[in-house]
Amino acid sequence: MKKNILLGVCGGVAAYKSAELVRLLQREGFEVRVMMTAAAARFVGPLTFQALSGHPVATNLLDADQESAMGHIRLARWPDQILIAPATAHFMARIAHGLADDILSAVCLAARVPIRLAPAMNTAMWLNPATQSNRQVLESRGIRLLGPGQGELACGESGEGRMLDPDEIIDRLRETFQTGPLQGQSALVTAGPTREPLDPVRFISNRSSGKMGYALAEALRSAGASVTLVSGPVALPAPPGVELIRVETALQMRDAVMARISQAPPGLFVACAAVADYRPEHAASGKIKKTDANMTLSLTRNPDILTEVAALPPGSRPFCVGFAAETEDIRRLGEEKRRCKGVDLLAANLVGGPQGGFEDNNNALTLLWADGQAELPMMPKRELAAALVSFIEERFFACNPSS
Ligand code: C5P
C-alpha cells in the first residue's frame, strides 16, 4: 500500500538537499507532495519540486487558485505523516506557538498525523535557549526531531545545526514510521504519581517514578499505536513520538483523560498512574503555619479514573488495562480489583518488598483477565513493558476481533 508523505520545505540553504529527499522518499514507496515557505522558494524553485513529485507545490495560504485546487485543510488530511526538512529556527518557533500564518504552519496546526522536523540552522541559533525551549515544547507534543547533525555549516562555522543528509533522514524515518500490530489504534496511558496540594508549598504524593508508564507508552508506540501519555510530575523525558500531557493533581489527570476520550475515544486505555486516592479537603491559599498543637488533616476521596473510563458506554469505552500495587496476596486482591473496577486486563505487582515496585528499574507482574492469568517474571521495566504490550495486543484483538 502506498503511503502519503507531505514534505514541507523552509527557507534554509539546506533546501537544496530536499530535492534529493523527494527522490529517496519515492524510492521508499511514498507518494510525495511538497509545500514550501516563501523563503524556501527563493532557494529552490517550486517547479523543481513539482517536476520531482508530479504534483503542484503548495506555496501560498491565501492564494485562491491554490486553495481551490487543494486547500490547506484538505492538504492537512492527505498525508499519513508530515516531514519538514529543512526546519528553520523561525519555523520551530511558529509551530511551538501555534501560529498559522503561512501554508506550512497552517497545515501542521490542522493535521492529525505524526509530524517530524529535520532542523537546519547555525549552531548558536540551535543552542539558543529560545530554540531549545521551542524544541522541548514540540517534543512534549509528540513532534519528533530528526537531527540536527554535527558538521560544517553554510555560514562557515562548524558544529551542531547541520540538516541530516537525505539518506540519514530516510534511516530515521524508517525507525519512526512503525508498522506494528497496533498500527491504526490509539492508546491513552496514565503514568506517574499525582500531587495533592495542602497549601502552595506542600503536597501529598507517593513514590511512583513513572518508569513503568513511560516504558509502556514507548512500547505501545513501537507496536504501531499512536500514543497520548497523561503524566503526573516525574523526572523523565517525553518518550519519542508520544504526545505528552503534563498534570499535577488527580482531578487534573481525570479531566485530561476524559477530555481526550470525549474528543476521540482511544482503542486502549492503560491506567498506570499511581493516582492519590485522597486529597486534602481544603488546600490553604497561604502557607500553613505551625503551632504547638497537633494537626489533623481532613481528606476527601478522589475520583477513580480507571473505574470511570471502564464504565463508559460501548462506542466510547476503550479496552481497559489497570494496575494493582499490593503488599501481599496479589492474585486474590488483584482479581477483586479487576472485577470491582470492571477492567479487561489487570497487571498486579508486589510492592514494599526488597525488589521491584515503584522506584526500582525491575518489576514482575501477575496478569489477570476474565478467563485466564499469566506471570511475567522479574525483568527490567522496559522489557516488561514490551512483554505486557504483547499481552495487551493479544487480549485486545481477542475482545475486538474486527479491529
Ligand atoms: O485502587 P487502586 O489505586 O489500587 O487501583 C489501581 C489502578 O487504578 C491503577 O490502574 C490506577 O492507575 C487506577 N486508578 C485510577 N484512579 C484512581 C486510583 C487508581 O485510575 N483514583
Side-chain angles (χ1 to χ4, degrees):
M1 192 183 71
K2 256 197 171 167
K3 294 162 290 187
N4 294 345
I5 192 163
L6 182 58
L7 174 66
V9 185
C10 295
V13 63
Y16 79 92
K17 294 188 192 173
S18 305
E20 171 69 2
L21 195 51
V22 174
R23 280 251 180 270
L24 295 185
L25 287 167
Q26 288 167 331
R27 219 174 280 163
E28 288 294 306
F30 284 104
E31 180 77 28
V32 187
R33 279 181 183 266
V34 180
M35 55 181 180
M36 303 175 78
T37 62
R42 298 183 63 181
F43 281 98
V44 184
L47 212 54
T48 304
F49 287 104
Q50 179 172 323
L52 289 171
S53 69
H55 292 289
V57 173
T59 51
N60 211 328
L61 183 59
L62 301 174
D63 181 301
D65 289 342
Q66 284 195 5
E67 282 285 307
S68 65
M70 194 185 250
H72 61 282
I73 299 295
R74 266 182 67 208
L75 192 56
R77 286 185 188 145
W78 176 81
D80 298 300
Q81 63 171 316
I82 294 175
L83 169 65
I84 309 291
T88 55
H90 186 229
F91 178 75
M92 286 175 61
R94 293 213 311 279
I95 56 166
H97 288 86
L99 300 186
D101 56 350
D102 76 337
I103 187 75
L104 267 68
S105 51
V107 164
C108 286
L109 200 62
R112 292 203 181 101
V113 293
I115 299 176
R116 328 270 182 225
L117 306 182
M121 66 199 74
N122 160 274
T123 305
M125 290 171 86
W126 169 249
L127 294 178
N128 190 294
T131 307
Q132 288 304 309
S133 116
N134 291 332
R135 174 181 70 85
Q136 275 175 10
V137 169
L138 297 174
E139 286 179 336
S140 75
R141 294 184 191 148
I143 293 181
R144 182 147 180 183
L145 270 67
L146 315 177
Q150 297 264 353
E152 282 192 14
L153 303 169
C155 56
E157 289 177 21
S158 180
E160 208 177 350
R162 180 185 68 84
M163 184 172 98
L164 296 183
D165 285 331
D167 54 345
E168 292 174 297
I169 292 179
I170 297 288
D171 284 347
R172 300 286 182 95
L173 279 182
R174 280 200 199 113
E175 285 165 22
T176 62
F177 199 68
Q178 303 283 359
T179 48
L182 292 178
Q183 199 184 4
Q185 301 295 338
S186 58
L188 183 59
V189 181
T190 66
T194 63
R195 284 181 182 172
E196 310 300 323
L198 283 158
D199 69 16
V201 292
R202 302 183 181 97
F203 52 79
I204 298 175
S205 192
N206 59 63
R207 293 183 183 280
S208 166
S209 64
K211 283 178 194 157
M212 191 65 210
Y214 275 57
L216 269 171
E218 211 169 327
L220 285 161
R221 176 75 204 105
S222 300
S226 66
V227 182
T228 303
L229 176 60
V230 181
S231 171
V234 295
L236 296 171
V242 167
E243 182 190 8
L244 178 63
I245 301 173
R246 290 181 206 273
V247 295
E248 287 240 349
T249 66
L251 290 179
Q252 289 169 356
M253 185 172 274
R254 182 209 164 265
D255 289 350
V257 164
M258 297 319 280
R260 178 45 67 122
I261 293 180
S262 64
Q263 263 169 20
L268 288 149
F269 177 60
V270 182
C272 198
V275 186
D277 292 323
Y278 296 91
R279 66 178 181 278
E281 200 164 9
H282 304 288
S285 57
K287 188 180 167 197
I288 300 169
K289 302 283 180 289
K290 62 174 166 289
T291 66
D292 288 339
N294 284 345
M295 184 186 209
T296 306
L297 282 176
S298 178
L299 303 176
T300 186
R301 273 301 304 265
N302 269 328
D304 192 300
I305 306 168
L306 178 55
T307 305
E308 203 171 324
V309 173
L312 286 168
S316 50
R317 183 193 184 278
F319 180 88
C320 291
V321 182
F323 280 75
E326 304 293 350
T327 50
E328 60 194 347
D329 205 357
I330 51 173
R331 195 154 304 153
R332 185 178 61 79
L333 295 174
E335 182 54 23
E336 262 171 35
K337 201 155 280 182
R338 186 189 70 74
R339 284 183 201 203
C340 160
K341 297 197 184 229
V343 301
D344 303 288
L345 180 65
L346 189 112
N349 69 311
L350 211 50
V351 288
Q355 224 196 344
F358 276 1
E359 287 160 308
D360 209 312
N361 286 323
N362 298 312
N363 209 355
L365 293 172
T366 298
L367 306 181
L368 305 161
W369 62 99
D371 45 14
Q373 60 184 58
E375 299 287 336
L376 297 178
M378 188 65 70
M379 61 182 112
K381 282 183 178 171
R382 286 175 72 102
E383 282 173 37
L384 191 64
L388 177 55
V389 166
S390 299
F391 241 94
I392 293 176
E393 275 161 36
E394 205 180 298
R395 299 304 317 145
F396 171 74
F397 289 115
C399 297
N400 301 274
S402 56
S403 290

